């Protein structure tokens, strides 16, 4: 399956929230939907879920008009929505029935996912009696109880300890391997990097980055290097580069131990390296291509605004 969002706009009154966003998600892959708070991610998700209607644009599934009510969608919202004073199994079955699942299948699916997420022992308990982490796992089980073809996970790891996080990671990988369309929204970039082959980044209602994560990283790191000197601190290295090598590179930042530099226009890596080697007062300890993290890219693309 391929889900395509094409030129979607959305306004509330005079406030324009989405300004013609376009991206796609495919079966067997996870798409990272990223952006700062208020960027338009939740509005996009609600349009996909048919909670809001777009002002213009279209959504296609395998080239045809997307009709959310005819496709099972599992949505794990950031703000959890289960009933704290209701028995877990009963409300999971109720939610599955609302989505058109037969009672027998709803019970079977509920127990399947409660068991997979290691909370089957609580099926007859009230939700409020569980720990926050176990409530989160029950919420995920409720998301998957209808056997959705499209799974939207909004901050799924919030509040989970390392053991429960590991269980959830395994489930997400299983969903991807099973050919579901998985849309993954989180501010925890390490998880996005773990699961997502593609990412789309929204800022102030516009797509500012879209594509394969590996290729994005390569492009973002193009013409940038990390370098350190055996004897110099980062501050001293930055000063030396600015004073003696400013025609070759511009200092753009730091990693934990190294200085990040960007090659000047027309300067090759070999030219810069040869110039370094010719300087008697520099003893290079580390020199390689800058490999940005997704967090680095996120900050660079959407971190400028206050």
């Amino acid at each position: 399956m391929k889900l395509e969002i094409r030129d979607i706009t959305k306004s509330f009154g005079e406030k324009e929230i989405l300004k013609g966003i376009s991206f796609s998600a495919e079966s067997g892959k996870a798409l990272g939907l990223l952006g700062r708070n208020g960027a338009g991610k939740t509005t996009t998700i609600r349009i996909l879920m048919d909670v809001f209607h777009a002002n213009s644009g279209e959504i296609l599934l395998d080239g045809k008009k997307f009709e959310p009510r005819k496709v099972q969608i599992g949505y794990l919202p950031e703000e959890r929505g289960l009933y704290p004073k209701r028995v877990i199994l009963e409300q999971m079955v109720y939610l599955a029935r609302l989505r058109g699942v037969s009672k027998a299948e709803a019970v079977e699916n509920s127990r399947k996912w409660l068991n997979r997420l290691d909370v089957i022992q609580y099926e007859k308990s009230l939700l409020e009696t569980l720990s926050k982490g176990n409530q989160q796992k029950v919420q995920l089980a409720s998301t998957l109880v209808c056997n959705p073809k499209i799974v939207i996970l909004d901050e799924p790891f919030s509040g989970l300890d390392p053991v429960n996080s590991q269980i959830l990671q395994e489930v997400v990988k299983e969903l991807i391997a099973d050919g579901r369309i998985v849309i993954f929204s989180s501010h925890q970039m390490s998880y996005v990097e773990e699961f997502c082959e593609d990412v789309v980044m929204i800022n102030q209602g516009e797509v500012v980055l879209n594509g394969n994560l590996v290729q994005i990283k390569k492009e973002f790191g193009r013409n940038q290097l990390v370098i350190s000197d055996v004897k110099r601190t980062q501050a001293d290295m930055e000063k030396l580069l600015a004073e003696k090598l400013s025609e070759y590179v511009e200092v753009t930042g730091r990693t934990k131990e190294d200085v990040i530099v960007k090659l000047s226009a027309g300067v090759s890596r070999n030219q810069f390296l040869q110039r370094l080697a010719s300087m008697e007062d520099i003893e290079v300890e580390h020199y390689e291509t800058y490999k940005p993290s997704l967090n680095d890219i996120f900050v660079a693309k959407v971190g400028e605004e206050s």
Side-chain angles (χ1 to χ4, degrees):
M1 290 190 302
K2 184 175 183 179
L3 182 69
E4 297 177 85
I5 287 79
R6 294 184 177 178
D7 299 319
I8 293 294
T9 66
K10 179 62 179 176
S11 298
F12 295 99
E14 296 183 356
K15 186 173 179 60
E16 189 176 23
I17 305 300
L18 299 178
K19 306 171 184 178
I21 66 168
S22 298
F23 62 89
S24 63
E26 298 182 32
S27 295
K29 293 183 179 182
L31 172 73
L33 179 61
L34 310 176
R36 298 176 68 175
N37 294 332
K41 304 188 302 300
T42 300
T43 299
T44 301
I45 290 171
R46 288 176 177 171
I47 290 172
L48 280 172
M49 296 285 295
D50 205 27
V51 176
F52 294 157
H53 296 295
N55 294 111
S56 63
E58 61 180 349
I59 302 176
L60 305 177
L61 184 64
D62 292 335
K64 299 178 181 179
K65 182 179 178 181
F66 178 53
E67 298 182 70
R69 298 185 186 280
K70 294 184 179 180
V71 180
Q72 289 288 13
I73 302 174
Y75 174 41
L76 177 71
E78 182 176 5
E79 297 297 329
R80 310 312 176 208
L82 294 182
Y83 302 104
K85 297 184 183 296
R86 295 289 184 179
V87 173
I88 288 167
L89 182 61
E90 289 178 0
Q91 63 177 308
M92 286 183 64
V93 170
Y94 170 71
L95 291 171
R97 297 282 283 138
L98 286 178
R99 301 177 205 178
V101 179
S102 70
K103 185 174 182 179
E105 186 180 358
V107 172
E108 180 182 354
N109 287 353
S110 296
R111 287 184 168 142
K112 167 191 168 182
W113 284 110
L114 289 173
N115 185 65
R116 178 64 188 87
L117 290 161
D118 197 27
V119 283
I120 187 64
Q121 64 272 34
Y122 303 118
E123 66 171 272
K124 296 181 180 179
S125 301
L126 303 183
L127 184 69
E128 66 181 1
T129 64
L130 275 60
S131 67
K132 185 176 180 180
N134 283 332
Q135 288 187 31
Q136 176 76 334
K137 290 196 289 184
V138 170
Q139 182 85 45
L140 178 61
S142 300
T143 299
L144 303 175
V145 72
C146 64
N147 193 29
K149 299 298 183 183
I150 300 172
V151 181
I152 303 171
L153 304 174
D154 194 352
E155 297 293 354
F157 293 93
S158 177
L160 294 183
D161 61 37
V163 174
N164 284 329
S165 291
Q166 181 62 39
I167 294 172
L168 183 50
Q169 287 179 56
E170 292 169 359
V171 169
V172 173
K173 289 177 181 178
E174 290 168 10
L175 294 170
I176 295 168
D178 195 36
R180 319 292 180 100
I181 292 176
V182 178
I183 299 176
F184 188 90
S185 181
S186 178
H187 289 117
Q188 295 173 282
M189 297 298 161
S190 60
Y191 288 122
V192 178
E193 290 190 275
E194 175 76 18
F195 300 119
C196 297
E197 189 171 331
D198 301 319
V199 297
V200 58
M201 199 173 292
I202 300 174
N203 191 42
Q204 296 186 347
E206 298 180 291
V207 172
V208 295
L209 192 68
N210 186 11
N212 178 270
L213 182 54
V214 172
Q215 294 303 316
I216 287 171
K217 284 188 171 187
K218 286 182 179 179
E219 184 63 31
F220 195 83
R222 190 185 301 277
N223 295 326
Q224 293 195 77
L225 307 165
V226 289
I227 183 171
S228 62
D229 184 82
V230 172
K231 298 179 181 179
R232 287 182 172 83
T233 64
Q234 286 174 306
D236 289 340
M237 190 63 178
E238 288 177 9
K239 183 178 179 181
L240 182 143
L241 290 167
E243 290 178 350
K244 297 188 177 182
L245 293 165
S246 59
E247 72 237 60
Y248 289 86
V249 293
E250 174 190 0
V251 176
T252 57
R254 296 181 180 184
T255 66
K256 186 176 181 180
E257 298 177 345
D258 304 321
V259 175
I260 305 170
V261 298
K262 182 176 183 179
L263 295 170
S264 300
V267 176
S268 70
R269 298 178 188 216
N270 285 340
Q271 288 174 322
F272 177 52
L273 186 57
Q274 288 171 2
R275 180 69 180 96
L276 280 176
S278 71
M279 298 177 66
E280 296 181 357
D281 55 345
I282 290 183
E283 187 176 351
V284 175
E285 179 180 35
H286 183 203
Y287 176 94
E288 68 171 353
T289 300
Y290 173 48
K291 299 173 183 176
S293 67
L294 182 55
N295 190 73
D296 295 333
I297 297 170
F298 184 88
V299 171
K301 297 299 293 186
V302 305
E304 295 86 357
E305 297 85 359
S306 59

